[in-house]
Amino acid sequence: MQRDVRQSFSFALKTRDSGARLGEIATPRGRIRTPAFMPVGTAATVKAMLPETVRATGADIILANTYHLMLRPGAERIAKLGGLHHFMGWDGPILTDSGGYQVMSLSKLRRIEEHGVTFQSHIDGATHLLTPERAIEVQCLLGADIQMVLDECTPFPATRDEAGSSMELSMRWAERSKQAFQTLSTPGQALFGIVQGSTYPDLREQSAGVLQDIGFDGYAIGGLAVGEGQEAMLDTATVTTSVLPEDRPRYLMGVGTPQDMLEAIARGIDMFDCVMPTRSGRHNQAFTWGGRLNLRNARYADDPSPLDAESACPAAQYSRAYLHHLVKSEEALGAMLLSEINIAYYQELMSGIRAAVASRAFGAFRAQTRDNWARGDIPPR
Amino acid sequence: MQRDVRQSFSFALKTRDSGARLGEIATPRGRIRTPAFMPVGTAATVKAMLPETVRATGADIILANTYHLMLRPGAERIAKLGGLHHFMGWDGPILTDSGGYQVMSLSKLRRIEEHGVTFQSHIDGATHLLTPERAIEVQCLLGADIQMVLDECTPFPATRDEAGSSMELSMRWAERSKQAFQTLSTPGQALFGIVQGSTYPDLREQSAGVLQDIGFDGYAIGGLAVGEGQEAMLDTATVTTSVLPEDRPRYLMGVGTPQDMLEAIARGIDMFDCVMPTRSGRHNQAFTWGGRLNLRNARYADDPSPLDAESACPAAQYSRAYLHHLVKSEEALGAMLLSEINIAYYQELMSGIRAAVASRAFGAFRAQTRDNWARGDIPPR
């Protein structure tokens, strides 16, 4: 799909049901049906998947990591090569993070100061500086359709004071990010703010208020899925969505398990990203409508049944015995098929949720899906 | 494709040009256009490729390794699961080797005796016995369309005496393999004999004569591509094809480079297999009409041109810069795309050769192709 320059970024909230929202984001590179799960294409590839396979699972949008791409192959290089979409062969919308999270989790010798964060590359040790302005510049060089402000992902646990000053720094960076975006972006690109404040409700409310005063195309909830546990995560999501505007998409960053997503959607979240489906696929795990399977388990060695007969994914029609054989033999095809199966499952879950909300049956869908998961691993037939 | 039980195995030699042969093998699972290259699906998967991708490159037939499959997941298990075609999702013809070659190259503590070869699995150290009868039984359990006699791949170099007694053992095993095949096989399956005799022309002639007296559906040339060099390999192929029947396919086992195949085809060879295209694909190498490229080379970092604009393979349309990035980042997609590109190149080479022979232009095609290769790596544009 060519970028349609007449199309600006917009979000339409179509309906609500039992806390869940059905919507659609329009972008110059196509629509994003929400609730949406964004497969993670860290280094300009959703690991072990062809772009056309990612698309075939039903994904409308993927995420790419600014931190990885600015270090290798470099944002200026990708821009010279025609931008990230052309470079990696993905013509749909791309959301990029700001790089801040990975600077904290992957780089060495990082130093946070008011003007930005200085860090050493985990690849070659070279020193880099990431400022709010540079984070936006990199995302514009990549050509990202949805860009994120630079923030500090507050470590967990944090005292109220630590969480407060961390959040306030992020808010000042959000303001600078917005200014840079207004200068550097092209029409149709969008910028999301990120609510911080750890698990402190008043800090989250304060952060959401500051961001709305600045004004963003969407609002993300950051600093969660970092060890606080599902209950604290969902409580924080509930508090935060209650003070976010209805007419903008809400994005819960780095989440999560199918269980996490189902519950967060019930609290008004619209967008997710997580490495779990692809990472699990490289570690012998399959997500299915009947629960999670470890294909290395010897119980599958003689199981002729398809991995998930309920899935529309062609890869899920291979027998459990074959998938077991592939993972035991450490064949690349095992990771390829399981990554496809898992991304397809995440997309089918989103699609099922969207259909349920549209028909005012989200409550029943949620109960039924939780029930299926609770029955645990699928036994061999 | 379902197995067509009315179709028996047959070979039609359509035309000859400058030593090269154009033919077609009919099998119950579809035709095999010759000259043919068979991608190697060692452990019931052509490494890092989906079966539909293998098919899309133009491959009519794949090879699978008896040694690997008998050890894991086991031939009886595959038979119970519906046979190898169903197990791995490949509905075209499959050729299996006898296991003999890999017993020699991979297993521990092997002992060759008249009745067969005893060896320890490289996976778990368990002791196994492979006899000519068991080799055929395993191939029938797998459901292979073309099966190979058990032989001893004579090590290189070998004295005339060593090569002679090794060859004679292989001929006795060939006779026993044929008898087992007559008992165990189903209609439409084929059995190929394997000519041995190292680089000794008289031994090769003697071996070819013995095999023809036994009678096989096709004749392979074994014991080459084991260090004897291209000239000795081609000389031996020339000697051997000169005493093989015209009306049966000839298969040069384990060969080879595009150069090897082009020259062997000029000497009347019809079939090949080799791990080179997939193995090279996992090691950053790409085969193209303009020569071989090492994608790790920094010269490609900023090269926006497609890997091989002359290729019909979709993977070959990615830029060299992107493929360079993938291999530098050790992303699985790099090995996936390069394996596809290389198998597609091998198939396009075969297809080009078949078209050239059909139009009596093989000599010119061969000269032009050698000329392109001699120009070496493609420079960045």
Side-chain angles (χ1 to χ4, degrees):
Chain A
M1 184 184 312
Q2 286 289 314
R3 192 167 188 271
D4 179 356
V5 292
R6 296 160 307 179
Q7 178 68 61
S8 58
F9 180 95
S10 65
F11 174 68
L13 177 60
K14 295 181 163 182
T15 187
R16 269 173 290 211
D17 180 34
S18 311
R21 293 153 46 104
L22 179 72
E24 190 168 302
I25 298 171
T27 83
R29 282 204 174 77
R31 65 170 182 176
I32 304 156
R33 295 161 292 181
T34 65
F37 175 77
M38 302 182 281
V40 177
T42 309
T45 157
V46 177
K47 287 187 190 297
M49 292 182 74
L50 294 164
E52 54 265 39
T53 310
V54 176
R55 174 65 83 178
T57 63
D60 290 333
I61 176 173
I62 61 170
L63 178 146
N65 288 126
T66 287
Y67 172 82
H68 286 94
L69 295 174
M70 69 181 280
L71 297 183
R72 186 173 59 196
E76 277 75 8
R77 172 172 283 142
I78 289 181
K80 253 181 54 189
L81 289 164
L84 183 57
H85 298 78
H86 180 71
F87 184 61
M88 69 180 293
W90 173 265
D91 61 7
I94 297 176
L95 181 147
T96 44
D97 60 10
S98 68
Y101 180 80
Q102 260 113 10
V103 165
M104 298 305 156
S105 57
L106 294 178
S107 73
K108 293 174 282 192
L109 291 174
R110 56 200 177 272
R111 192 173 67 246
I112 302 184
E113 294 164 302
E114 183 63 33
H115 71 297
V117 51
T118 308
F119 65 94
Q120 286 194 342
S121 161
H122 73 289
I123 299 170
D124 61 6
T127 299
H128 293 261
L129 170 66
L130 192 63
T131 62
E133 293 78 14
R134 175 63 181 160
I136 296 298
E137 183 182 22
V138 167
Q139 294 178 79
C140 286
L141 285 165
L142 297 175
D145 303 287
I146 303 180
Q147 306 183 12
M148 303 300 297
V149 300
L150 184 66
D151 65 339
E152 184 191 21
C153 180
T154 309
F156 182 86
T159 66
R160 202 187 172 291
D161 275 0
E162 289 164 348
S165 25
S166 169
M167 182 270 285
E168 284 161 14
L169 176 67
S170 288
M171 296 305 100
R172 295 190 295 275
W173 284 2
E175 171 69 42
R176 286 167 55 191
S177 298
K178 171 79 182 278
Q179 285 175 16
F181 180 82
Q182 285 174 322
T183 308
L184 297 170
S185 66
T186 57
Q189 290 180 322
L191 181 65
F192 281 21
I194 305 176
V195 179
Q196 290 287 351
S198 191
T199 49
Y200 302 96
D202 59 324
L203 293 183
R204 289 280 173 183
E205 286 173 21
Q206 187 188 329
S207 176
V210 173
L211 292 176
Q212 284 170 77
D213 289 343
I214 303 171
F216 290 96
D217 300 302
Y219 295 89
I221 307 178
L224 293 177
V226 290
E228 74 283 358
Q230 198 198 43
E231 192 181 337
M233 178 186 80
L234 293 173
D235 286 351
T236 305
T238 305
V239 166
T240 310
T241 54
S242 73
V243 292
L244 285 175
E246 286 284 331
D247 62 352
R248 293 284 186 278
R250 296 99 171 252
Y251 163 29
L252 184 53
M253 302 181 80
V255 173
T257 64
Q259 288 82 350
D260 287 340
M261 295 191 299
L262 185 63
E263 297 311 313
I265 286 167
R267 288 157 177 84
I269 298 292
D270 305 306
M271 301 167 71
F272 303 91
D273 79 286
C274 192
V275 296
M276 181 170 280
T278 41
R279 182 173 288 168
S280 298
R282 297 194 304 281
H283 292 91
N284 318 321
Q285 305 285 322
F287 288 91
T288 77
W289 285 103
R292 208 187 299 195
L293 285 70
N294 182 342
L295 268 306
R296 250 191 111 80
N297 195 315
R299 72 203 275 190
Y300 301 119
D302 293 295
D303 187 348
S305 50
L307 177 80
D308 189 357
E310 289 181 62
S311 170
C313 173
Q317 306 317 311
Y318 281 95
S319 69
R320 296 169 194 179
Y322 184 58
L323 293 166
H324 171 79
H325 166 68
L326 292 177
V327 305
K328 282 284 283 188
S329 306
E330 295 176 1
E331 284 287 345
L333 187 59
M336 291 162 59
L337 293 175
L338 290 175
S339 298
E340 178 182 346
I341 285 164
N342 292 345
I343 291 290
Y345 176 71
Y346 269 56
Q347 297 301 339
E348 286 187 15
L349 178 61
M350 292 298 134
S351 163
I353 289 170
R354 289 193 301 260
V357 175
S359 58
R360 306 261 159 185
F362 177 69
F365 179 93
R366 181 182 173 196
Q368 175 68 54
T369 302
R370 290 203 292 205
D371 199 48
N372 289 347
W373 289 334
R375 284 193 269 109
D377 276 9
I378 308 175
R381 283 169 201 181
Chain B
M1 185 183 311
Q2 285 288 315
R3 193 168 186 271
D4 178 356
V5 292
R6 296 159 307 177
Q7 178 68 60
S8 59
F9 180 94
S10 65
F11 174 68
L13 178 59
K14 296 182 165 182
T15 186
R16 268 173 291 210
D17 180 34
S18 312
R21 293 151 47 103
L22 179 72
E24 190 167 302
I25 298 171
T27 83
R29 281 204 175 77
R31 66 171 181 172
I32 303 157
R33 296 161 293 180
T34 63
F37 176 76
M38 302 182 281
V40 177
T42 309
T45 156
V46 176
K47 288 188 189 297
M49 292 181 73
L50 294 164
E52 53 265 37
T53 309
V54 177
R55 174 65 84 178
T57 63
D60 291 332
I61 176 171
I62 61 169
L63 178 146
N65 289 125
T66 288
Y67 171 83
H68 286 94
L69 295 173
M70 70 182 278
L71 296 184
R72 184 171 61 193
E76 278 74 9
R77 171 172 283 143
I78 289 181
K80 254 181 54 189
L81 290 164
L84 182 57
H85 298 79
H86 180 71
F87 184 61
M88 68 180 291
W90 173 265
D91 61 7
I94 297 176
L95 181 148
T96 45
D97 61 9
S98 68
Y101 180 81
Q102 259 114 12
V103 165
M104 299 304 156
S105 58
L106 293 179
S107 74
K108 292 175 283 191
L109 290 175
R110 54 201 178 269
R111 192 172 66 245
I112 302 185
E113 295 164 304
E114 184 62 33
H115 72 294
V117 51
T118 308
F119 65 93
Q120 286 193 346
S121 160
H122 74 289
I123 299 169
D124 62 5
T127 300
H128 293 262
L129 171 65
L130 192 62
T131 63
E133 293 77 16
R134 177 62 181 160
I136 297 298
E137 184 183 23
V138 167
Q139 294 178 80
C140 286
L141 285 165
L142 298 174
D145 303 285
I146 303 180
Q147 306 184 12
M148 303 302 297
V149 299
L150 184 66
D151 65 339
E152 183 191 20
C153 180
T154 310
F156 182 85
T159 66
R160 202 188 171 290
D161 275 1
E162 288 164 351
S165 26
S166 169
M167 181 271 283
E168 284 160 14
L169 176 67
S170 287
M171 295 306 98
R172 294 191 296 275
W173 284 3
E175 171 70 43
R176 287 167 55 190
S177 297
K178 172 78 183 278
Q179 285 175 16
F181 180 81
Q182 285 174 324
T183 308
L184 297 171
S185 66
T186 58
Q189 289 180 323
L191 181 65
F192 280 22
I194 304 175
V195 180
Q196 289 288 351
S198 191
T199 50
Y200 301 97
D202 60 323
L203 293 182
R204 289 282 173 181
E205 286 174 21
Q206 188 189 329
S207 176
V210 173
L211 292 176
Q212 285 171 76
D213 288 344
I214 302 170
F216 289 97
D217 300 302
Y219 295 89
I221 306 178
L224 293 179
V226 290
E228 74 284 358
Q230 197 197 43
E231 190 182 337
M233 178 186 80
L234 293 174
D235 287 348
T236 305
T238 305
V239 166
T240 310
T241 53
S242 74
V243 293
L244 286 175
E246 286 285 331
D247 63 350
R248 293 284 186 280
R250 295 100 171 251
Y251 162 30
L252 183 53
M253 303 180 77
V255 172
T257 63
Q259 287 83 350
D260 288 341
M261 295 192 298
L262 185 64
E263 298 310 313
I265 286 168
R267 289 157 177 82
I269 297 293
D270 306 306
M271 299 167 70
F272 302 91
D273 79 284
C274 192
V275 296
M276 181 169 281
T278 41
R279 182 172 290 167
S280 298
R282 298 194 303 283
H283 292 90
N284 317 323
Q285 304 286 321
F287 288 92
T288 76
W289 285 103
R292 209 188 297 195
L293 283 71
N294 182 342
L295 267 307
R296 249 192 112 79
N297 194 315
R299 71 202 278 188
Y300 301 119
D302 293 297
D303 186 348
S305 51
L307 178 77
D308 189 357
E310 290 181 61
S311 170
C313 172
Q317 306 318 311
Y318 281 97
S319 69
R320 296 169 194 179
Y322 184 57
L323 293 166
H324 171 78
H325 166 68
L326 292 176
V327 305
K328 282 283 284 186
S329 306
E330 295 176 2
E331 284 288 344
L333 187 59
M336 291 162 60
L337 293 176
L338 289 176
S339 299
E340 178 182 346
I341 285 164
N342 292 345
I343 291 290
Y345 176 71
Y346 269 56
Q347 297 302 338
E348 288 188 14
L349 178 61
M350 292 297 134
S351 163
I353 290 170
R354 290 193 300 263
V357 175
S359 58
R360 306 261 159 186
F362 177 67
F365 179 92
R366 182 183 173 196
Q368 176 68 54
T369 302
R370 289 203 293 205
D371 198 48
N372 288 348
W373 288 335
R375 284 194 271 109
D377 275 10
I378 309 176
R381 286 170 199 181

